[in-house]
Amino acid sequence: MKNRVKSLRLARGWSQDELARRSVVSRSGISAIEIDRLVPSAEAALAIARALGCRFEEVFYFEGGEPADMVWAAVPAKTPCRYWLANVAGRRIVYSSAALGDHVLPHDGIFDGVHLKPTKSPESEDEEARTLVIASCDPAIGLLASELARVRRIRLLVLSLSSRAALAALGKGLIHVAGVHFAGAGKAGNNAQVRSQLGLDYQLLRAAEWQAGLAFDPQRRLSSVRGALQTKLRWVGRETGSAARQCLDEVLGDRQPPRHLAQSHRGVAEAIRAGFADAGVCVQLVSEQAGLNFLRIRKEPYDLCFAIAEMHDPRIQALVEVVQSSTYRRMLAELPGYTSAEAGALRSVE
């Protein structure tokens, strides 16, 4: 019999003493169970599961199998593959290397197509409880990851998704936080989109404002967006539902939408730099990193959205602390096209 008592306890920010008090199982008993030195009685196991707010089979399982609540965020198309684990809303979620996109960090194990084979020691299980999962298209997300690791030892897993897809993943309970930037609907854009897609039980944490605009090949002599529309250009767009696609559609108006699509801001810039397209919409930071010219279109408020019910989670508390910190806000403001004057503002969806 194996168990997830430690990771579930840590995910709630509880000490062994706190779990012992809630379950009426001795602290020494909790300690022995967590390190597999003691197989609890049925009565003690049920008491621990109830205290954690979980079903029995979510906490205890037989060696060689996986807990009943373990689910894939997205079933991997190819195996073997690397995987990462995180506790999200009481469930153990598995993320494949494909889900993480360009972001590389030490993996938790290898999935051979049948079994999950851990590559870390059992003592590192608490890393699951210290893992925060965010879906975002922010190209500066690495700054947030480094600060969370430095200040609070939080590991950040980043799924590269558009704003709409990120909200969908949040609604399914597959991630902790969704990054959104819907500027087209005005100042209430993010609030309105979250309310429409998920409801009112969510918080928005302002992370930044960034400059969105037209990136284009430096060989093209363009001085305005209007001039770009009067020039024959090969456009690269983003997938339907993304905020960058919304921006480009507003710019193009009734013109034919782009035939070629990219999956990220960097994808847009790379398509232009490689010569597959002449112009597209992305954020200023990515355009400058790719050595492209840039015409500003609008500023977009970028918010981090999470469930109000998760406000007590130590990982969410760490996220709020870091975004509100002067160190993070200063580093963000020094990036091309980013401002952090409102970073850290927290408000409920209305």
Side-chain angles (χ1 to χ4, degrees), residues 196-217:
S196 172
Q197 198 164 335
L198 299 181
L200 299 176
D201 299 328
Y202 291 86
Q203 292 268 306
L204 290 173
L205 173 66
R206 178 57 50 86
E209 275 192 327
W210 63 39
Q211 190 70 52
L214 189 64
F216 58 95
D217 187 330

Side-chain angles (χ1 to χ4, degrees), residues 6 52 54 64 84 108 118 131 144 151-152 158-159 173 177 184 222 269 285 322 325 341 344 347:
K6 183 178 180 180
L52 292 167
C54 299
W84 293 261
D108 294 340
T131 297
L144 183 59
V151 176
R152 293 289 294 274
V158 182
L159 278 61
V177 182
L222 302 175
L285 172 64
V322 166
S325 70
R347 66 194 188 282

Side-chain angles (χ1 to χ4, degrees), residues 12 69 87-93 173 175-176 310 313 315:
R12 288 153 178 76
D69 70 328
N87 293 311
V88 181
R91 296 192 303 169
R92 199 181 196 195
I93 310 295
I175 59 174
H176 298 103
E310 300 301 315
D313 191 311
R315 295 163 293 188

Side-chain angles (χ1 to χ4, degrees), residues 167 170 177-182 187-195 198-208 301-308 311 316 319-320 323-324 342-350:
L167 287 180
L170 182 62
V177 182
V180 295
H181 61 108
F182 295 100
K187 291 183 178 180
N190 291 341
N191 180 89
Q193 290 292 335
V194 174
R195 182 180 65 233
L198 299 181
L200 299 176
D201 299 328
Y202 291 86
Q203 292 268 306
L204 290 173
L205 173 66
R206 178 57 50 86
Y302 172 62
D303 291 324
L304 301 176
C305 177
F306 52 85
I308 292 175
M311 280 291 292
I316 296 295
L319 174 69
V320 175
V323 173
Q324 291 178 341
E342 297 182 6
L346 194 60
R347 66 194 188 282
S348 298
V349 173
E350 300 175 343

Side-chain angles (χ1 to χ4, degrees), residues 17-40:
D17 287 328
E18 178 66 13
L19 179 55
R21 183 185 68 79
R22 290 172 179 262
S23 64
V24 198
V25 175
S26 69
R27 191 205 64 78
S28 60
I30 296 293
S31 177
I33 290 168
E34 287 187 347
I35 60 177
D36 294 322
R37 287 186 179 174
L38 174 66
V39 176

Side-chain angles (χ1 to χ4, degrees), residues 280-296:
V281 168
C282 65
V283 298
Q284 185 176 351
L285 172 64
V286 166
S287 177
E288 291 201 10
Q289 287 177 332
L292 304 176
N293 286 359
F294 187 80
L295 293 172
R296 296 183 175 188

Side-chain angles (χ1 to χ4, degrees), residues 2-235:
K2 308 292 287 183
N3 71 83
R4 295 175 54 224
V5 174
K6 183 178 180 180
S7 61
L8 290 168
R9 171 178 64 78
L10 291 172
R12 288 153 178 76
W14 296 351
S15 64
Q16 289 182 339
D17 287 328
E18 178 66 13
L19 179 55
R21 183 185 68 79
R22 290 172 179 262
S23 64
V24 198
V25 175
S26 69
R27 191 205 64 78
S28 60
I30 296 293
S31 177
I33 290 168
E34 287 187 347
I35 60 177
D36 294 322
R37 287 186 179 174
L38 174 66
V39 176
S41 65
E43 182 180 4
L46 286 170
I48 291 171
R50 281 196 296 267
L52 292 167
C54 299
R55 301 188 307 274
F56 174 88
E57 61 270 23
E58 293 173 343
V59 184
F60 299 94
Y61 58 99
F62 290 106
E63 189 169 11
E66 281 83 35
D69 70 328
M70 184 180 288
V71 297
W72 285 92
V75 177
K78 294 180 63 177
T79 58
C81 67
R82 292 168 294 136
Y83 71 82
W84 293 261
L85 295 167
N87 293 311
V88 181
R91 296 192 303 169
R92 199 181 196 195
I93 310 295
V94 192
Y95 305 89
S96 71
S97 47
L100 267 66
D102 296 334
H103 303 279
V104 178
L105 70 166
H107 50 280
D108 294 340
I110 301 293
F111 177 58
D112 64 5
V114 179
H115 298 293
L116 299 175
K117 297 182 176 180
T119 55
K120 295 185 176 182
S121 64
E123 289 75 19
S124 66
E125 185 187 34
D126 67 322
E127 191 166 47
E128 292 180 36
R130 293 187 288 102
T131 297
L132 179 70
V133 186
I134 179 172
S136 169
C137 63
D138 179 12
I141 198 72
L143 284 181
L144 183 59
S146 63
E147 280 299 283
L148 283 168
R150 182 182 69 84
V151 176
R152 293 289 294 274
R153 292 184 63 242
I154 298 294
R155 178 177 72 166
L156 188 66
L157 291 187
V158 182
L159 278 61
S160 298
L161 296 176
S162 68
S163 297
R164 195 173 300 278
L167 287 180
L170 182 62
K172 294 175 181 177
L174 298 176
I175 59 174
H176 298 103
V177 182
V180 295
H181 61 108
F182 295 100
K187 291 183 178 180
N190 291 341
N191 180 89
Q193 290 292 335
V194 174
R195 182 180 65 233
S196 172
Q197 198 164 335
L198 299 181
L200 299 176
D201 299 328
Y202 291 86
Q203 292 268 306
L204 290 173
L205 173 66
R206 178 57 50 86
E209 275 192 327
W210 63 39
Q211 190 70 52
L214 189 64
F216 58 95
D217 187 330
Q219 294 184 358
R220 294 281 182 172
R221 298 184 179 279
L222 302 175
S223 58
S224 68
V225 175
R226 177 176 295 182
L229 294 174
Q230 295 172 348
T231 305
K232 187 174 182 180
L233 298 174
R234 296 171 299 159
W235 295 87

